[in-house]
Amino acid sequence: MHPDGDDNLADYYRNLDILVAPGHIQLGAIHYPVIEAMACNVPVITTGYYPANDENSFIVPVKRPDKIAEISK
């Protein structure tokens, strides 16, 4: 899916049950999908992209898909 425009992009994020954004490059950097999902009140699982932290997201260790699976249950 390729949402066109701000309204369609917001609708796309609102229709997600959860956003999973794992990675190991540029941790702590701004990650627009994380910000956009959070703005739409979608739960986020990530390895540490900004603005995610322990208070507003599920933070998992890098290269540990088993931890993502544990949260997703």
Side-chain angles (χ1 to χ4, degrees), residues 50-68:
Y50 184 81
N53 61 47
D54 289 327
E55 294 177 12
N56 62 20
S57 304
F58 299 98
I59 306 295
V60 294
V62 173
K63 297 182 181 180
R64 290 294 306 271
D66 57 309
K67 296 298 183 183
I68 295 170

Side-chain angles (χ1 to χ4, degrees), residues 1-65:
M1 176 177 195
H2 299 281
D4 183 28
D6 292 339
D7 291 334
N8 290 332
L9 183 61
D11 287 341
Y12 169 78
Y13 281 105
R14 283 189 203 105
N15 283 309
L16 297 176
D17 292 322
I18 191 165
L19 176 80
V20 180
H24 64 277
I25 299 172
Q26 295 182 329
L27 296 178
I30 293 172
H31 193 273
Y32 287 100
V34 168
I35 292 171
E36 291 161 343
M38 289 176 156
C40 293
N41 293 316
V42 173
V44 173
I45 298 174
T46 184
T47 48
Y49 289 113
Y50 184 81
N53 61 47
D54 289 327
E55 294 177 12
N56 62 20
S57 304
F58 299 98
I59 306 295
V60 294
V62 173
K63 297 182 181 180
R64 290 294 306 271

